[in-house]
Amino acid sequence: MNEIVSTITHYVKQKLENEGSGHDWHHIERVVQHAEVIAKAEGANDFICIVAALVHDLADDKIASTEAEGLKEVERLLEDVNREDREHIIEIISSISFKGGNRPPVTTLEAQVVQDADRLDAIGAIGIARTLVYAGAKGDLIYDPSITVRDNMTPEAYRSGQSTAINHFYEKLLHLKELMNTAKGKELAQQRHEFMEQFLDQFHDEWAGRK
Ligand code: ADP
Ligand code: NI
């Protein structure tokens, strides 16, 4: 492994090892793995994709005290990366988060790859598990039919408004397949998407006493 990548890997690993908000080190490892696969298929710059995947959650407001502080930390961490690549990586991590959905599409191929890699880890069996853990940590219910599904949320409403674990599938996760940027990302999302649909069908059948 390239020395810069190895230093950054160590830093991120020790920082996120015990993170409990669904952004733990294993999430990062999976996103790096997806990013490598997609970058290869799409002909993207793999160094940029791997490093951006490694640092993509460090500026998240659940991990850093503020997004600006988090971005400063990433800049320090990337001091040995050449300026052009560093600016590109910072640009990627500032632009890929979902935050309610009303965000402009990302522009560079590498940003598309990392966003797809992060989104893949939000769907499928892993996505279901992360959603349940996140909802539990936030104090949300598994499901409550009286709480309606929201659309077109502001970032604030997305973060702090009332929701349930099951509503999160309709508010975000079921949209991700269509939002994938790359052909490889779309291909990998398909089966994970179908698995979530099966889970929701079964959930509603059990809830209604049909199964
Ligand atoms: P993003 O910033 O891309 O929206 P998050 O950092 O908010 O993603 O999400 C971390 C994980 O928790 C993801 O798997 C996401 O789908 C899930 N998650 C986010 N918000 C909620 C929520 N309100 N209820 C349940 N799961 C959530
Ligand atoms: Ni992430």
Side-chain angles (χ1 to χ4, degrees), residues 8-76:
I8 297 171
T9 302
H10 275 99
Y11 180 92
V12 177
K13 187 172 177 186
Q14 59 82 26
K15 170 129 188 173
L16 298 185
E17 208 137 44
N18 297 313
E19 235 288 318
S21 70
H23 300 84
D24 55 282
W25 168 245
H26 300 289
H27 163 64
I28 306 296
E29 254 185 333
R30 293 188 301 264
V31 175
V32 169
Q33 209 170 48
H34 294 317
E36 280 185 285
V37 170
I38 302 170
K40 196 161 177 211
E42 303 290 331
N45 178 313
D46 58 347
F47 174 78
I48 303 253
C49 292
I50 289 168
V51 175
L54 278 168
V55 301
H56 84 273
D57 273 335
L58 292 182
D60 190 286
D61 54 11
K62 288 184 249 49
I63 288 167
S65 47
T66 63
E67 192 176 333
E69 275 302 315
L71 288 174
K72 265 197 236 156
E73 178 188 5
V74 173
E75 276 185 14
R76 280 194 300 274

Side-chain angles (χ1 to χ4, degrees), residues 23 62 97-99 130-131 134 158-159 168 172-173:
H23 300 84
K62 288 184 249 49
S97 169
F98 181 77
K99 298 205 176 100
R130 290 180 73 207
T131 298
Y134 187 105
Y158 173 64
R159 276 287 179 250
H168 187 65
K172 173 182 173 186
L173 306 183

Side-chain angles (χ1 to χ4, degrees), residues 104-131:
V106 296
T107 48
T108 69
L109 175 60
E110 287 73 21
Q112 293 181 335
V113 168
V114 179
Q115 186 172 56
D116 281 2
D118 196 25
R119 285 174 168 171
L120 275 178
D121 205 54
I123 61 178
I126 301 254
I128 294 171
R130 290 180 73 207
T131 298

